[in-house]
Amino acid sequence: MSDLPPTGATIPDDVAALLRTPFDPVLSDPVRLRIQAALGGLPRAGSMTFTGLGKTLGISDGNLGAHLAVLVEIGYVATRVSWRGKRRTTWYQATDAGRAAFATQVEALRSVTSASTDRMSPRPHQHPTSPG
Amino acid sequence: MASDRHPQSATDAVAVPNPAATLADLEAIADRSRRSGLVRATGWPMVVWGIAWLVGYVALGLLPGPPGLAIALTASVAATTVTWRGRAGTTRTGWEPQLRAAWVVLMLASPLLVVVAQPGSVAEIALLLGGLWALGLALYGVASRDRSLVALGLALLSAATVFSLWQHDAALAGFGVVSGTTMVAFGTARTARVRRRSPS
C-alpha cells in the first residue's frame, strides 16, 4: 500500500491495521452480505429455504439464486435436501467459515464507522490555517 | 483555511457506502431471520392450541362426564393434527427433532404422573395436566432461548395453580378462558409482529 499523507486524525493502531485489511471480496457485495446475515441470525444448526430467504430479504428469486450459488461455491453456505413425500426442499445453512467471514466483515464495517465518528469529533490539537 | 481532506486516506480507500446504515440493515435482517424461526413453532401453532385449550377446558367444566371429555379430546386431536401437518415451514432452528421428542416424552409421561398424583376429581386431573403442559412450554422456551415463551409457560402454570385453589364449579372453565385467550393473544401478536417487520 502506498505511503499515505499524514491526516492529522488520531486513528488507533488496531483500527488502522483493520482498515488496511482488504474487505472480504465475496461479502463486499451487499446482497451476499445480507444473505449471510439472514442465515447467521439462525442458530448454528439452523437453516432456511430459498423461499424463506427471499421473504426475509425481499429480493427477487433470480437475484437471490445467483448470489446464493456464489456463497455455496465459496463454502460460506451449505445445502441440505429434505423430502416430504415427493416434495423436495433445499435448505441453506451458514457454515462456520461463512459465519467467521461475516463476523470479520461486520467488525471491519464497525471499525470504519468508529473511525469516521472519531474523525468528526473535536480534536485536542488544531492544525494552523494557511494565510490564504 | 487548510483543507483536511486527503483523497488517499485509509477510510477513502475502503469502498463501503454508509457502513452505519449497512450495519443497521444487517442487524434488522438477522432479527427477522431469528424471529421467523420462532413464529413457525410458537406463532400460529400457539393460536391453534389456545383455541383447543379454550374449547376443551370450557367443555370439561360446563359439560361434566363423557360429552365434555369427548369435546376436549376432539379439540386436542384436531390441534395436534393441524399443527403437525403445518410443521414444514421455511425456517428451521435445528432443534426441532429434539424438542419434538421432548414433547412426545411429556405427553407419554402425563398419564403416568396422573396415576402417581392420584387427583380426586376430573377438575384436579385436568388442572394438573394443564399445569404440567404449561411447565413443558416454559422448558421449551428455555431450550430454545425464547424468554417470552418461558414467561407464557410460567403464567399458564400460575393460572392452573390459582384455579386449582379456587374450589368452585367454574374453575375449569375459568382456566380454559384465561389460558386459551392468553395463548391465542400470544400467538397472534407474535405472528403479526414478524409479518409487520417483513420487507415483502
Side-chain angles (χ1 to χ4, degrees):
Chain A
M1 177 163 284
S2 59
D3 291 335
L4 301 174
T7 64
T10 307
I11 300 178
D13 290 341
D14 56 340
V15 174
L18 193 57
L19 290 173
R20 289 189 201 103
T21 304
F23 275 55
D24 188 311
V26 175
L27 295 184
S28 290
D29 181 282
V31 176
R32 291 197 280 266
L33 187 61
R34 295 173 84 225
I35 291 172
Q36 210 64 45
L39 295 177
L42 299 172
R44 285 206 173 273
S47 54
M48 203 179 274
T49 63
F50 187 90
T51 305
L53 275 170
K55 281 183 183 174
T56 302
L57 300 173
I59 59 178
S60 67
D61 288 356
N63 199 6
L64 176 60
H67 290 291
L68 260 179
V70 172
L71 290 171
V72 169
E73 190 175 337
I74 209 83
Y76 287 176
V77 170
T79 61
R80 191 164 39 87
V81 173
S82 70
W83 291 91
R84 200 175 166 197
K86 292 183 179 179
R87 188 176 176 182
R88 178 178 180 272
T89 304
T90 302
W91 296 85
Y92 298 90
Q93 180 180 5
T95 62
D96 289 343
R99 286 176 184 268
F102 178 74
T104 303
Q105 189 81 351
V106 167
E107 194 53 43
L109 286 171
R110 285 201 180 114
S111 299
V112 170
T113 306
S114 172
S116 300
T117 306
D118 288 345
R119 283 166 67 88
M120 287 170 62
S121 60
R123 292 194 291 269
H125 304 289
Q126 296 294 326
H127 291 285
T129 58
S130 63
Chain B
M1 182 183 298
S3 168
D4 60 353
R5 288 176 58 237
H6 299 279
Q8 288 186 327
S9 67
T11 49
D12 287 347
V14 178
V16 179
N18 200 348
T22 301
L23 285 169
D25 181 41
L26 296 178
E27 188 123 356
I29 288 170
D31 185 59
R32 268 201 307 272
S33 174
R34 192 166 38 243
R35 287 182 186 280
S36 70
L38 291 179
V39 164
R40 192 181 74 77
T42 59
W44 69 267
M46 194 63 67
V47 174
V48 172
W49 278 108
I51 294 171
W53 277 41
L54 177 65
V55 169
Y57 276 99
V58 168
L60 279 174
L62 300 181
L63 297 173
L69 189 60
I71 292 174
L73 284 174
T74 303
S76 297
V77 169
T80 303
T81 305
V82 168
T83 54
W84 183 262
R85 288 178 65 85
R87 72 189 187 282
T90 59
T91 306
R92 287 180 177 173
T93 59
W95 305 319
E96 282 82 5
Q98 292 90 330
L99 292 174
R100 207 172 294 138
W103 273 114
V104 169
V105 167
L106 185 65
M107 291 301 115
L108 291 176
S110 295
L112 303 180
L113 276 170
V114 169
V115 171
V116 170
Q118 296 184 7
S121 66
V122 172
E124 288 175 354
I125 294 173
L127 287 172
L128 171 65
L129 290 176
L132 178 64
W133 297 333
L135 176 62
L137 204 61
L139 293 175
Y140 183 104
V142 170
S144 56
R145 297 177 191 174
D146 188 345
R147 283 180 289 188
S148 299
L149 197 61
V150 175
L152 174 68
L154 292 177
L156 296 178
L157 178 57
S158 301
T161 306
V162 168
F163 280 102
S164 71
L165 292 172
W166 186 38
Q167 300 293 330
H168 195 278
D169 292 342
L172 266 185
F175 175 70
V177 170
V178 169
S179 61
T181 53
T182 303
M183 291 165 74
V184 168
F186 181 92
T188 304
R190 180 157 277 192
T191 307
R193 190 166 59 220
V194 169
R195 287 196 177 153
R196 198 164 48 239
R197 291 186 182 184
S198 176
S200 57

